[in-house]
Amino acid sequence: MLVVGGGPVGMLLAAELRISRVRAVVLERLPERTPHSKAFGLHARSLESLDRRGLVERFRDGARSWNNGHFAGLDEWVDFSALDSKHAYALLSEQTRTERLLEERAVELGTEIRRGHEVTAVRQDADGVEAEVTGPDGAYTLRARYAVGCDGARSLVRREAGIAFPGTGGRVTARLGDVILPDRENAPMGMERTERGLLFCVPLDDTYHRVSTFDFQAEREAGAELTLEELTGSLREIWGSDLGAHSPRWLSVFTDSACQADRYREGRILVAGDAAHTHFPVGGQGVNLGLQDAFNLGWKLAATVHGWAPEGLLDSYDRERQGPARTVLANTRAQIALMNPDPYVTPLRDLFTDLMRREQVNLHLAQMLSGVTVRYEIEGPEHRMLGDFARDLELVTEEGPRTLPAYLKRGTGVLLDLAGRPEITQTYEKWSAGVSWAGRVRHVQATCAGEPQLAGLLVRPDGYVAWAVDRDQPEAVVRDSLGTALATWFGTV
Ligand SMILES: Cc1cc2nc3c(=O)[nH]c(=O)nc-3n(C[C@H](O)[C@H](O)[C@H](O)COP(=O)(O)OP(=O)(O)OC[C@H]3O[C@@H](n4cnc5c(N)ncnc54)[C@H](O)[C@@H]3O)c2cc1C
């Protein structure tokens, strides 16, 4: 397996492949991890997923968390503490730290990471994928069965695969600098909307501030590097003062372009993370969205490589992950519209701010930004949990008290038998007798006082519910639907 790009998504995907015993090579063009963080935070669904791999404490260790977030820089906060989640907060984890922790995880599991290796071309045939790579010792060709482009917004892999990347935007220019401000005490804090644009200003540490201007008017030469002069000029224009910004350690410029790959798979080539979708970084959603791509794709790709993937499993990656990206692109476009400095937008902002004081509206936004409303369309007997992320069920098992996430650490599926129904055991045993490695689904007999009606639950390795039945379901329905679910998600060979 080739993973092109060793950003957060590539590193997590490689780790997810390794946990499923697939050899993955990460090709990353940067010789060293960048010291500059684009993203700052991890949202609830990312934390819940990391928890299912036993990783969340590494991320929480020494990191601060926020109960609040913003939507379009409006005056009312989005309250993450209202989420129905064990992780009802946003974790402050700079992207460099997130990348380091994910890289450490990938390396621990035995991933080969080649830094300073740039992929310059990718082609595929019926049996595999071939990448042209330029490394420190020169050019070479690497062949693998599949390749995943985790190579960011300008993805070469996506282009080489002929995957289109349609979208909108490019009208708002954001200029960003991690700079020193002489008067830290009186520096603006957070997001400020002026008649000319927006200013974003937050302290990063005891020395640096992150300062950004969002310019809704100026045309700019595409691809030109941002200079301190251009940033301070933009600050003066939008904020009326350049805040004395100096000594930048990082300058970056980006736009509001919001694009999405028209398909996430072309034959043996797939795309994930920013290579599959980009948008304006409002609401801190990009890394989180990409990490969920990796959790969704890793086990499906591993199953395909091991030869037990049922028909359509790999294609379900595209089907399931397009929707969440569309939602994120839509909400970032909505935020851009609300951030427009045009005075005609002000009453709309006021109205929206007022709406956000309503509990339900605020909760809706918190759920949307933190990704916890994502659920997949999965066939099976109707059940409130079907397709949703499995909760942190408190179980009592033969081994003692356990929570459901404990069974997902190794990246396998889990079948919970909560009512001692013989047809669940019999169906599982029949299925496992016919497959090469039944360990891909762990069968656990348990009780769950918190879910007295629930009789059985089949959870995929990414934590989503593939099958659920309550105690009132007749035996034949349980037997047939469980057999179908096992075959659909975990194969028959
Ligand atoms: C200013 C800013 C603030 C942001 N804030 C947040 C936030 O708070 N929260 C959030 O969730 N998201 C945020 N984002 C978005 C987030 O940074 C991205 O979504 C995230 O970096 C995507 O991760 P990725 O691994 O898909 O791609 P990238 O991080 O872009 O990584 C791609 C990697 O591929 C490598 N690569 C590229 N081409 C090749 C090649 N040909 N060969 C080998 N290697 C290659 C690159 O060197 C890079 O390391 C922000 C973005 C910006 C610009």
Side-chain angles (χ1 to χ4, degrees):
M1 273 292 321
L2 289 184
V3 175
V4 182
V9 177
M11 290 301 178
L12 177 64
L13 179 66
E16 286 292 292
L17 289 164
R18 278 303 303 154
I19 205 177
S20 297
R21 299 169 298 117
V22 169
R23 184 168 168 256
V25 177
V26 177
L27 299 165
E28 167 54 54
R29 75 171 161 212
L30 296 178
E32 285 167 24
R33 206 178 307 117
T34 167
H36 309 299
S37 281
K38 291 185 277 187
F40 280 111
L42 292 175
H43 281 303
R45 180 50 48 86
S46 299
L47 297 165
E48 291 169 345
S49 297
L50 291 167
D51 204 6
R52 272 131 187 85
R53 294 291 183 266
L55 296 173
V56 79
E57 288 312 323
R58 292 188 195 192
F59 282 81
R60 281 165 51 97
D61 190 23
R64 285 183 292 139
S65 58
W66 295 322
N67 284 340
N68 294 325
H70 80 86
F71 187 81
L74 295 170
D75 287 341
E76 196 65 27
W77 288 109
V78 176
D79 179 11
F80 293 126
S81 70
L83 293 172
D84 181 15
S85 167
K86 188 176 159 195
H87 302 286
Y89 54 88
L91 190 79
L92 183 63
S93 179
E94 296 93 358
Q95 191 161 333
T96 46
R97 177 179 182 272
T98 299
E99 286 181 17
R100 174 176 59 78
L101 291 171
L102 292 171
E103 181 169 348
E104 282 169 11
R105 158 82 167 172
V107 170
E108 271 165 32
L109 292 169
T111 305
E112 183 185 347
I113 296 168
R114 297 188 190 174
R115 284 200 168 273
H117 291 245
E118 177 167 6
V119 173
T120 54
V122 183
R123 51 187 169 267
Q124 60 177 316
D125 53 41
D127 306 317
V129 180
E130 217 162 63
E132 299 291 341
V133 188
T134 304
D137 299 324
Y140 64 97
T141 303
L142 199 59
R143 201 173 159 80
R145 293 179 60 191
Y146 287 86
V148 186
C150 301
D151 50 343
R154 296 192 184 129
S155 172
L156 170 112
V157 175
R158 185 185 66 228
R159 282 200 309 277
E160 293 279 280
I163 296 174
F165 201 49
T168 57
R171 283 182 295 182
V172 180
T173 300
R175 295 176 178 84
L176 176 155
D178 289 350
V179 292
I180 297 179
L181 301 183
D183 187 5
R184 289 176 62 89
E185 296 290 303
N186 295 308
M189 180 67 194
M191 192 102 70
E192 298 282 351
R193 181 167 167 263
T194 72
E195 284 176 7
R196 185 58 186 77
L198 267 100
L199 170 76
F200 174 75
C201 184
V202 288
L204 291 176
D205 52 34
D206 290 342
T207 311
Y208 284 90
H209 268 76
R210 172 156 296 178
V211 173
S212 282
T213 56
F214 300 166
D215 189 339
F216 283 68
Q217 287 171 24
E219 296 272 321
R220 189 178 184 276
E221 188 195 334
E225 295 251 319
L226 181 66
T227 60
L228 179 64
E229 290 65 39
E230 185 182 335
L231 175 67
T232 49
S234 176
L235 279 166
R236 282 192 295 275
E237 208 166 328
I238 286 174
W239 183 242
S241 143
D242 63 15
L243 304 169
H246 65 89
S247 309
R249 67 176 180 194
W250 186 45
L251 292 167
S252 179
V253 63
F254 50 93
T255 74
D256 64 330
S257 80
C259 303
Q260 188 170 357
D262 68 346
R263 57 200 188 283
Y264 287 9
R265 176 184 178 196
E266 177 58 46
R268 291 176 172 273
I269 300 179
L270 299 105
V271 287
D274 274 18
H277 37 71
T278 54
H279 54 83
F280 201 68
V282 272
Q285 302 168 84
V287 168
N288 293 274
L289 187 62
L291 295 182
Q292 290 302 314
D293 290 346
F295 280 119
N296 187 288
L297 177 59
W299 68 280
K300 294 175 180 174
L301 204 44
T304 308
V305 170
H306 288 310
W308 61 256
E311 203 188 323
L313 184 70
L314 194 53
D315 283 329
S316 72
Y317 165 63
D318 172 275
R319 195 175 64 241
E320 293 184 340
R321 294 305 302 160
Q322 287 268 358
R326 265 196 299 276
T327 304
V328 171
L329 263 65
N331 85 50
T332 57
R333 287 180 181 124
Q335 292 188 73
I336 290 280
L338 280 166
M339 292 193 305
N340 195 308
D342 187 330
Y344 276 80
V345 176
T346 305
L348 185 60
R349 286 177 69 85
D350 294 343
L351 178 67
F352 222 89
T353 305
D354 203 29
L355 285 171
M356 282 174 70
R357 295 192 182 107
R358 288 167 192 263
E359 218 174 283
Q360 258 187 312
V361 174
N362 202 297
L363 181 62
H364 175 79
L365 294 176
Q367 289 171 331
M368 188 174 67
L369 294 177
S370 57
V372 298
T373 44
V374 170
R375 64 187 298 161
Y376 301 131
E377 261 184 47
I378 289 180
E379 283 182 18
E382 206 176 309
H383 194 278
R384 66 193 185 288
M385 293 184 185
L386 185 65
D388 207 350
F389 197 69
R391 324 268 335 190
D392 290 70
L393 301 179
E394 303 278 347
L395 308 170
V396 177
T397 71
E398 283 172 357
E399 302 161 297
R402 294 278 184 281
T403 57
L404 175 61
Y407 290 104
L408 292 164
K409 278 192 183 135
R410 292 193 195 141
T412 61
V414 58
L415 172 61
L416 285 185
D417 178 351
L418 298 173
R421 297 272 289 252
E423 64 271 27
I424 292 185
T425 305
Q426 287 158 8
T427 308
Y428 175 77
E429 282 174 353
K430 187 173 163 202
W431 170 81
S432 59
V435 298
S436 55
W437 179 60
R440 66 186 82 147
V441 179
R442 190 155 170 201
H443 179 213
V444 177
Q445 271 169 329
T447 55
C448 179
E451 286 290 345
Q453 294 311 317
L454 194 61
L457 197 70
L458 178 64
V459 183
R460 308 189 321 190
D462 60 355
Y464 284 82
V465 175
W467 171 85
V469 287
D470 281 339
R471 286 169 188 255
D472 57 4
Q473 282 288 6
E475 183 200 323
V477 172
V478 173
R479 200 181 286 282
D480 290 352
S481 60
L482 176 57
T484 304
L486 283 166
T488 303
W489 296 104
F490 297 99
T492 51
V493 290

